[in-house]
Amino acid sequence: MADYKTQDIRNIALVGHGHSGKTTLADLLLFKAGVNSRAGSVDDGSSLLDTDDEEKERKSSITSSVCHLTHNGKRINIVDTPGYPDFLGQVAGALEAVETAAIIVNASAGVEVNTRRTFDMAAEFGLGRIIILNRLGQDNIDFDRDLAELQDVFGSHCIPINIPNEVGPGFSSVVKVLEPTGPGVVDPSSFTDELRDCIVEADDELMERYMETLELTPDEFRAGIPKAVAAGTLIPIFCVSGKRDIGVTELLDGMAALCPSPDDIQRRSEDGTEITPDPNGPLVAQVFKTRIDPFVARMNYVRVFSGTLKRDSSVNDVTTGKPVKIGALNELQGNQLAAVPEAIPGDIVAAVKVDGLHTSDSLGELKMKPINFPKPMVGWAVEPKTSADQQKISGALAKIVEEDQTFSVSREEQTHEMVVHGMSELHLQILMERVQKRDKVSIEHHAPKIPYREACTGEGEGAYRHKKQSGGSGQFAEVHMKVYALPRDINPEEYFTKTRFEHLREYHYDPDLNFAFLDCVSGGSVPNQFIPAVEKGVRERMVKGVLAGFQVQDCVAVLHFGKDHPVDSNETAFKMAASICFRDVFLKSRPVLLEPLVHIEITIPAEYLGDITSDLTTRRGRMEGMDAASGGYTVVKGFAPLVELQDYARQLSSITGGQGSYTIESGHYEVIPANEQHKVLSNTEQVEELVH
Ligand SMILES: Nc1nc2c(ncn2[C@@H]2O[C@H](COP(=O)(O)OP(=O)(O)O)[C@@H](O)[C@H]2O)c(=O)[nH]1
Ligand SMILES: [Mg+2]
């Protein structure tokens, strides 16, 4: 049994930009709480949290890690997260598991790209937030400027809870705003009024009392802060140097006393049912991370919201609707596990080797909303290096898919490529390194092929006779065909009529390709038994393409006449004749290449709007609209050809200094402009063979 209650738990995710000192601080907190006999260090590879080989090599967190400590009677679970936008998926999972997001800010760098992003994500998750202004011991710190920037970007409810005595080399202690014991770099008591305003805003009763007396007692201040943090009316700022261990004890005190407990943040299931964190209530829990450890095997990190999750029990996976067998449960100290018999509301545990349990799955009685992971946008076509790699590649990539919700693998039907998607080139590179290390699979990559298509814009007519009489039995088939362009929005029943198509006997319409094969044969000139072979020949040719090897769509092929031979005609002969006849007629029907256009939504700080729209124009894109988003951001919506967006992640990052993000969704096909058409055609070999 746990020696603490749900009310005593504080779940805190450390988020923010890379290099702000999150992992260093987490290691120090563990040391100060007596978990470790010395503070682990990112720099010498002894961190309890950055334990993966890739993390040690890069001296930077890549995945989230969970650890725990006890301070002032409170059980504090800390989830350390990576700080670069490439790994935001890890942050999304971590935020699902906690009540508080601690946003770490490097005082000498101020608000950085991921400071903003993670701050906004924490707001979306409805969490309490604190800011840790770290690295205040460095040179060139301007406290006033930092504070002004934080309040400017994140709001005037970001208020210091303590103040550094000095910044830079002279930083040696912090002074509390509520009970100042000396002077600070700015006057600590100058923040009391703002602090009070934020506190009363969160509590109507307190507000009324305050209006009468115009005073709050010290107890009211103390009790009011956690409520205001939970309600989001106050974001306290703690001043710290993780490297020099200044303000860290005060931070620990603050985490224990001021951060919300699982009781303080109201959770709801996907259908809106309120969840009470009662250990005797119905079980509600969710997997927020999956890790496939080369030694321990598969681990699901589970956050319990209600009820008690017991080891060796069978529970319902609400997401899949199937029961899962829970074996061992462990609490985590980085990658070290310690068995626990059960987990109460607020607990974070790792379930080991549970088949069929995945990230985002809900366990127990209610379904939680699936975690909203960022969408991966950068694609690589991948190939195994050797045939031995060929056999292992799917399994190895499937493991990554399990672990990382911002990674996906697809087999592109048209281009026959295996394409992996990730947040950035760096993200994909690190994941492919993991595949190489863990599963010994070497992978090569290149830009994915664009799935162009072919269509015709006019109409044509022609015939082909296939005749072969070398030795043995001969082959004979003759087909006469017409090909027309087919508009996209037709209703087949109204469109394919005898008035429009003379002698129409039957049609087969394929809505995916917007293609129809029409049997308009009169007088049995093509015997009925060979008509399916004709259609097959046409369809096979359409898959192979005519102009440049891409799938043909948006047309009608009409078979209206033919000839057969009583002995030499067979299905193969008709298929062959149909294939060549279709090719020839299609070429006469003003064929064109189509390219995929995608719908794009770009989120950027408003000041980059001009640069982004002119860049979009040079990519043959067009804007469709614009919305204002929070924090001075603008969302630009539009369409652009997929081929022009292959390096968009890099370009957007360079225009916006890493502050932009975008999503694309498949849109529709459009005719490629003539000058661009030439570029695609000149890259394909088939053209020469055909343009004769
Ligand atoms: N000067 C200074 N350096 C720090 C401080 N905290 C962390 N660092 C260094 O900054 C680098 C990145 O730290 P790390 O904890 O990995 O940052 P994270 O990416 O936010 O987890 C490491 O080299 C740390 O030694 C600090 O308070 N002051
Ligand atoms: Mg880190």
Side-chain angles (χ1 to χ4, degrees):
M1 289 289 285
D3 54 1
Y4 53 83
K5 296 201 167 61
T6 295
Q7 299 87 290
D8 303 325
I9 299 177
R10 301 292 178 270
N11 289 314
I12 302 171
L14 301 184
V15 301
H17 200 76
H19 260 67
S20 51
K22 297 177 290 299
T23 308
T24 303
L25 194 58
D27 273 309
L28 183 62
L29 292 171
L30 290 174
F31 164 67
K32 289 181 78 83
V35 171
N36 207 355
S37 54
R38 65 177 272 258
S41 156
V42 172
D43 300 312
D44 67 12
S46 66
S47 166
L48 281 184
L49 302 153
D50 281 2
T51 52
D52 291 352
D53 289 346
E54 300 110 74
E55 296 182 315
K56 287 186 186 171
E57 256 166 46
R58 289 186 159 76
K59 296 195 185 347
S60 182
S61 315
I62 290 169
T63 64
S64 59
S65 305
V66 177
C67 59
H68 62 92
L69 57 89
T70 304
H71 183 75
N72 289 351
K74 299 290 187 302
R75 157 82 174 207
I76 302 180
N77 293 317
I78 292 177
V79 190
D80 182 34
T81 66
Y84 290 100
D86 317 72
F87 313 111
L88 269 182
Q90 295 287 316
V91 178
L95 291 177
E96 184 67 14
V98 300
E99 276 70 39
T100 307
I103 298 116
I104 323 285
V105 179
N106 176 353
S108 70
V111 174
E112 297 175 86
V113 176
N114 232 29
T115 324
R116 256 179 210 272
R117 289 254 188 106
T118 53
F119 184 93
D120 290 345
M121 282 168 80
E124 276 165 33
F125 277 79
L127 303 177
R129 285 168 291 180
I130 65 172
I131 290 174
I132 301 175
L133 188 57
N134 191 24
R135 306 182 69 150
L136 281 162
Q138 295 174 108
D139 292 330
N140 305 323
I141 305 281
D142 181 339
F143 184 75
D144 284 333
R145 190 204 56 205
D146 279 339
L147 189 58
E149 188 186 21
L150 288 172
Q151 294 193 332
D152 183 41
V153 178
F154 299 135
S156 55
H157 56 318
C158 301
I159 299 170
I161 206 85
N162 54 35
I163 303 288
N165 64 324
E166 269 183 50
V167 291
F171 180 33
S172 60
S173 64
V174 290
V175 187
K176 286 185 184 164
V177 164
L178 287 180
E179 299 145 25
T181 46
V185 65
V186 291
D187 177 11
S189 56
S190 63
F191 297 103
T192 334
D193 289 353
E194 295 170 40
L195 204 52
R196 184 199 52 225
D197 290 349
C198 293
I199 290 171
V200 296
E201 199 189 327
D203 186 336
D204 290 346
E205 260 175 49
L206 195 62
M207 171 80 93
E208 262 175 44
R209 237 207 34 69
Y210 169 69
M211 298 301 247
E212 281 165 20
T213 61
L214 295 181
E215 234 177 347
L216 288 190
T217 64
D219 278 349
E220 283 171 332
F221 260 109
R222 253 190 304 276
I225 292 179
K227 280 190 192 159
V229 173
T233 61
L234 170 66
I235 299 178
I237 303 174
F238 293 83
C239 295
V240 167
S241 166
K243 197 77 171 177
R244 288 173 43 200
D245 188 4
I246 305 164
V248 180
T249 305
E250 291 82 352
L251 174 63
L252 262 181
D253 292 346
M255 286 177 158
L258 309 181
C259 289
S261 82
D263 273 341
D264 300 326
I265 299 277
Q266 178 65 62
R267 307 256 178 184
R268 286 172 195 278
S269 66
E270 191 173 30
D271 66 7
T273 312
E274 284 188 8
I275 297 169
T276 316
D278 173 4
N280 300 314
L283 177 68
V284 182
Q286 189 173 25
V287 179
F288 66 93
K289 174 185 165 94
T290 300
R291 176 181 163 87
I292 300 179
D293 186 285
F295 304 107
V296 189
R298 195 191 152 82
M299 286 192 282
N300 296 112
Y301 289 42
V302 182
R303 161 69 202 258
V304 179
F305 295 108
S306 160
T308 301
L309 179 65
K310 298 199 154 83
R311 81 162 170 230
D312 300 327
S313 63
S314 174
V315 297
N316 185 30
D317 180 335
V318 194
T319 309
T320 62
K322 291 184 187 147
V324 290
K325 179 91 193 66
I326 303 287
L329 292 176
N330 295 276
E331 53 182 20
L332 294 138
Q333 210 62 282
N335 65 355
Q336 295 163 24
L337 307 181
V340 291
E342 60 179 33
I344 61 169
D347 272 341
I348 294 172
V349 286
V352 181
K353 291 186 195 158
V354 184
D355 283 339
L357 188 56
H358 308 285
T359 302
S360 241
D361 282 6
S362 302
L363 292 173
E365 308 289 322
L366 289 173
K367 184 161 179 277
M368 300 298 287
K369 219 162 78 194
I371 304 170
N372 187 13
F373 289 99
K375 270 197 190 159
M377 284 300 141
V378 175
W380 277 1
V382 292
E383 276 170 38
K385 267 197 183 142
T386 67
S387 57
D389 295 329
Q390 169 86 47
Q391 298 184 348
K392 292 188 286 182
I393 189 168
S394 298
L397 293 179
K399 284 188 198 168
I400 306 275
V401 170
E402 275 279 305
E403 287 178 307
D404 192 331
Q405 309 301 303
T406 59
F407 175 80
S408 66
V409 185
S410 58
R411 266 193 194 279
E412 298 299 318
E413 219 178 279
Q414 276 197 58
T415 57
H416 305 294
E417 287 180 324
M418 184 187 268
V419 178
V420 296
H421 285 97
M423 300 290 289
S424 66
E425 306 242 325
L426 174 67
H427 180 220
L428 287 174
Q429 187 187 327
I430 287 176
L431 294 180
M432 294 308 108
E433 281 172 26
R434 193 183 299 168
V435 166
Q436 162 83 57
K437 278 212 183 88
R438 183 167 58 193
D439 295 281
K440 312 281 178 286
V441 181
S442 301
I443 290 176
E444 286 175 338
H445 67 88
H446 51 84
K449 285 187 198 148
I450 302 290
Y452 293 106
R453 295 215 169 162
E454 301 179 7
C456 61
T457 54
E459 55 185 77
E461 185 169 357
Y464 186 81
R465 174 182 292 181
H466 175 67
K467 192 173 166 186
K468 230 179 179 179
Q469 265 159 350
S470 52
S473 65
Q475 290 210 24
F476 182 92
E478 183 176 318
V479 291
H480 293 232
M481 225 181 260
K482 291 177 187 160
V483 171
Y484 303 89
L486 183 58
R488 289 233 180 106
D489 46 7
I490 58 142
N491 174 345
E493 276 167 36
E494 288 168 12
Y495 195 85
F496 299 113
T497 57
K498 284 194 176 157
T499 14
R500 188 173 271 125
F501 298 96
E502 220 184 331
H503 305 302
L504 176 64
R505 298 201 299 168
E506 202 175 344
Y507 71 88
H508 294 151
Y509 178 66
D510 176 343
D512 290 338
L513 293 175
N514 187 41
F515 163 76
F517 177 80
L518 272 56
D519 168 1
C520 297
V521 175
S522 60
S525 60
V526 179
N528 282 346
Q529 75 265 32
F530 295 134
I531 291 178
V534 173
E535 180 171 355
K536 208 164 173 208
V538 171
R539 282 182 171 271
E540 284 181 8
R541 187 73 228 184
M542 287 172 64
V543 172
K544 279 196 206 137
V546 176
L547 273 184
F550 303 110
Q551 171 77 52
V552 174
Q553 66 176 37
D554 298 330
C555 65
V556 185
V558 179
L559 173 70
H560 63 93
F561 188 70
K563 282 184 189 155
D564 70 322
H565 181 279
V567 180
D568 291 348
S569 280
N570 56 32
E571 285 179 3
T572 315
F574 269 99
K575 213 172 83 176
M576 181 78 85
S579 169
I580 299 173
C581 183
F582 177 78
R583 183 191 78 180
D584 292 349
V585 180
F586 182 81
L587 282 172
K588 291 181 195 165
S589 319
R590 287 200 282 129
V592 287
L593 283 181
L594 307 179
E595 65 178 342
L597 264 78
V598 291
H599 181 71
I600 183 164
E601 275 194 32
I602 314 159
T603 307
I604 41 156
E607 71 241 47
Y608 296 112
L609 185 59
D611 295 338
I612 287 298
T613 48
S614 67
D615 175 69
L616 201 58
T617 314
T618 63
R619 290 168 190 273
R620 300 190 285 122
R622 54 175 188 264
M623 244 180 85
E624 292 229 305
M626 223 164 60
D627 285 329
S630 63
Y633 274 63
T634 296
V635 182
V636 178
K637 298 177 183 174
F639 276 95
L642 181 61
V643 64
E644 303 286 349
L645 295 175
Q646 284 196 314
D647 64 342
Y648 197 64
R650 224 177 299 148
Q651 178 70 4
L652 179 64
S653 173
S654 93
I655 294 178
T656 62
Q659 296 185 69
S661 62
Y662 72 106
T663 56
I664 51 180
E665 255 161 47
S666 58
H668 58 275
Y669 278 88
E670 275 184 20
V671 177
I672 311 185
N675 53 337
E676 300 290 331
Q677 187 133 333
H678 182 73
K679 280 190 214 162
V680 181
L681 288 174
S682 62
N683 284 336
T684 48
E685 303 134 20
Q686 263 183 323
V687 195
E688 284 186 31
E689 173 209 323
L690 287 165
V691 181
H692 51 243

